[in-house]
Amino acid sequence: MEKQDLRSLHLDEMTALLKELGQPAFRAKQLFSWIHEKQVREISQMHNLGKNLLEQLEQHCTITSMRLERKQVSSDGTEKFLFQLDDGNYIECVLMRYRGDMSKQRNTLCISSQVGCAMGCTFCATGQGGFVRNLTTGEILSQVYEVNHLLQEEGDSLPVGNVVFMGMGEPLHNLNNVRKTISLLNDPQGQQIGIRRMTVSTCGVVPKMHELADEKLDIVLAVSLHAPNDEQRSSVMPVNNSWPLAKLMEACRYYQKQTKNRITFEYALIAGFNDQPEHVQQLKHLLKNLDCHLNIIPVNPVANTAQFSRPDKKQVAAFVKALQQAGLKASVREEKGTDIDGACGQLRGKMLKK
Ligand code: SF4
């Protein structure tokens, strides 16, 4: 029988497991607290469970493990972690520590939901490497727990408080495990991360966006737009061939109707490609009557995609100003960690080449 990963289990699943093992129900709460509140890495650390239960857990269960292969720190403070999974695959996550005002201090972690990605966006290092497999709930969650351990070891008293599903992979292609991770992170007996402090990013998997809308999960939805018309969007995002902009916008409007939440659109600004006055007008038309915010991200250079040139600061500011004058909410989001292969999949790509 395959061992069950305790980090992938909800309280009711732990209760059922312990019942099968002939253990009283109250043990499930203790077990849940060890796994999801204290984030232990070893079964033997759960010292109040009794010898008999610990032996049973060692026999039937496991706790997801991942080894820190490499850590890089950017000049802007962004930290990137490359973890190796039990099967030898690598995943990345990125930590941003926001300081300043006490009330604004937070640690935000951008995590992966898949090894590789099938979506093939041409500006993305992960997309260029293809899809390998979905991550389990325990593997997605462990990125948060392992980084929390690292923070603690460094004496940082703030655990990860904001989670962004924007690392490697398309989260909506692994929706069951992403959804379960969100509810475990949000659990009052676990890390208690507020649901509005979690962002799920999609490149536009329309049927799954409808599914997410019907669930009325209160997460922040971020949609990778990157181009304001079908021709250009299809040229950089193959997903647009399956679900063109009309379908994508229909899904966004449906999502907003169901959840009443503002949608974030990510727009990688590429000099000479999608930064012209006509693109502002196309965006204005596309996003009409939608409560949304545009994050304008000056494109990050990716190996083998030299055709994407980064606009200079003046061009970026002018584009944002034009969007605002057109009545859109827009701001610049500087990509962090560009000097440490900060964009999704770059560090893993280098590791695989080695
Ligand atoms: S940008 Fe996101 S969806 Fe597109 S290939 Fe990269 S990881 Fe996949």
Side-chain angles (χ1 to χ4, degrees):
M1 190 178 102
E2 202 179 318
K3 286 188 172 186
Q4 285 213 52
D5 171 27
L6 292 170
R7 278 189 177 168
S8 293
L9 299 185
H10 270 306
L11 181 60
D12 55 349
E13 292 168 311
M14 286 186 183
T15 307
L17 171 74
L18 293 192
K19 194 174 171 193
E20 253 177 62
L21 297 176
Q23 294 285 345
F26 77 91
R27 290 289 193 202
K29 277 195 177 165
Q30 290 178 309
L31 180 59
F32 191 89
S33 163
W34 280 112
I35 297 293
H36 295 297
E37 185 188 351
K38 302 182 186 88
Q39 309 160 83
V40 292
R41 289 163 160 156
E42 309 279 345
I43 288 171
S44 59
Q45 289 175 292
M46 302 187 274
H47 53 73
N48 66 349
L49 295 189
K51 192 165 170 271
N52 171 258
L53 175 53
L54 288 187
E55 280 172 6
Q56 288 178 315
L57 292 176
E58 293 281 9
Q59 195 183 342
H60 300 288
C61 303
T62 181
I63 298 176
T64 306
S65 63
M66 46 178 69
R67 197 174 59 81
L68 181 64
E69 171 73 33
R70 189 178 292 182
K71 175 182 165 181
Q72 289 187 337
V73 184
S74 160
S75 54
D76 64 20
T78 305
E79 291 153 79
K80 183 155 203 173
F81 304 95
L82 181 73
F83 285 107
Q84 186 171 38
L85 305 173
D86 276 345
D87 66 357
N89 277 306
Y90 293 101
I91 53 169
E92 299 176 357
C93 54
V94 176
L95 174 69
M96 288 148 284
R97 304 190 211 204
Y98 296 95
R99 294 299 180 259
D101 251 359
M102 276 296 276
S103 62
K104 288 189 182 148
Q105 290 193 359
R106 64 191 191 277
N107 286 334
T108 296
L109 191 68
C110 177
I111 61 176
S112 296
S113 55
Q114 299 181 313
V115 180
C117 182
M119 305 316 291
C121 303
T122 56
F123 48 80
C124 166
T126 301
Q128 289 171 37
F131 174 71
V132 180
R133 69 169 175 88
N134 278 336
L135 295 181
T136 65
T137 302
E139 288 169 333
I140 305 174
L141 198 66
S142 289
Q143 296 167 70
V144 178
Y145 292 1
E146 292 305 316
V147 169
N148 275 343
H149 278 295
L150 295 167
L151 288 167
Q152 228 172 33
E153 283 160 24
E154 281 180 18
D156 187 333
S157 58
L158 268 186
V160 170
N162 292 64
V163 174
V164 186
F165 292 81
M166 209 182 271
M168 287 166 41
E170 163 55 57
L172 299 195
H173 270 176
N174 190 12
L175 186 53
N176 285 346
N177 293 347
V178 166
R179 194 192 277 124
K180 196 169 180 188
T181 304
I182 290 170
S183 77
L184 283 167
L185 287 172
N186 181 239
D187 197 294
Q189 312 302 324
Q191 291 303 298
Q192 304 178 32
I193 299 181
I195 201 90
R196 293 291 295 161
R197 293 183 180 275
M198 289 189 256
T199 299
V200 174
S201 163
T202 180
C203 67
V205 183
V206 163
K208 292 288 174 187
M209 288 171 71
H210 281 274
E211 203 179 312
L212 200 62
D214 286 335
E215 286 179 27
K216 299 188 179 158
L217 263 188
D218 209 18
I219 47 123
V220 177
L221 181 69
V223 177
S224 300
L225 190 58
H226 303 321
N229 58 63
D230 280 322
E231 193 188 335
Q232 283 186 298
R233 193 164 189 268
S234 294
S235 75
V236 287
M237 299 179 74
V239 67
N240 199 66
N241 293 315
S242 307
W243 297 290
L245 282 168
K247 292 268 175 229
L248 177 63
M249 287 305 134
E250 191 187 307
C252 289
R253 285 174 210 287
Y254 183 70
Y255 183 87
Q256 192 147 82
K257 185 171 156 244
Q258 294 295 82
T259 64
K260 313 277 180 276
N261 286 335
R262 174 177 291 178
I263 295 175
T264 300
F265 288 99
E266 309 287 331
Y267 193 91
L269 199 66
I270 303 168
F273 174 71
N274 60 1
D275 63 345
Q276 300 300 304
E278 70 260 29
H279 300 134
V280 173
Q281 291 313 310
Q282 287 167 358
L283 284 170
K284 182 183 171 181
H285 178 70
L286 199 65
L287 304 176
K288 203 161 107 191
N289 300 331
L290 202 59
D291 180 15
C292 63
H293 186 94
L294 269 163
N295 274 337
I296 305 299
I297 312 150
V299 75
N300 191 29
V302 175
N304 309 328
T305 55
Q307 73 267 31
F308 297 134
S309 51
R310 192 179 166 90
D312 64 32
K313 278 199 169 143
K314 252 178 148 180
Q315 289 169 292
V316 178
F319 189 74
V320 170
K321 197 172 167 202
L323 289 171
Q324 289 165 345
Q325 282 169 347
L328 294 166
K329 294 183 188 82
S331 55
V332 184
R333 203 193 75 202
E334 278 295 337
E335 191 140 48
K336 288 183 170 280
T338 48
D339 56 334
I340 54 160
D341 308 312
C344 137
Q346 289 186 334
L347 190 53
R348 169 175 169 266
K350 278 194 178 165
M351 198 66 206
L352 294 182
K353 270 186 203 145
K354 267 175 79 181

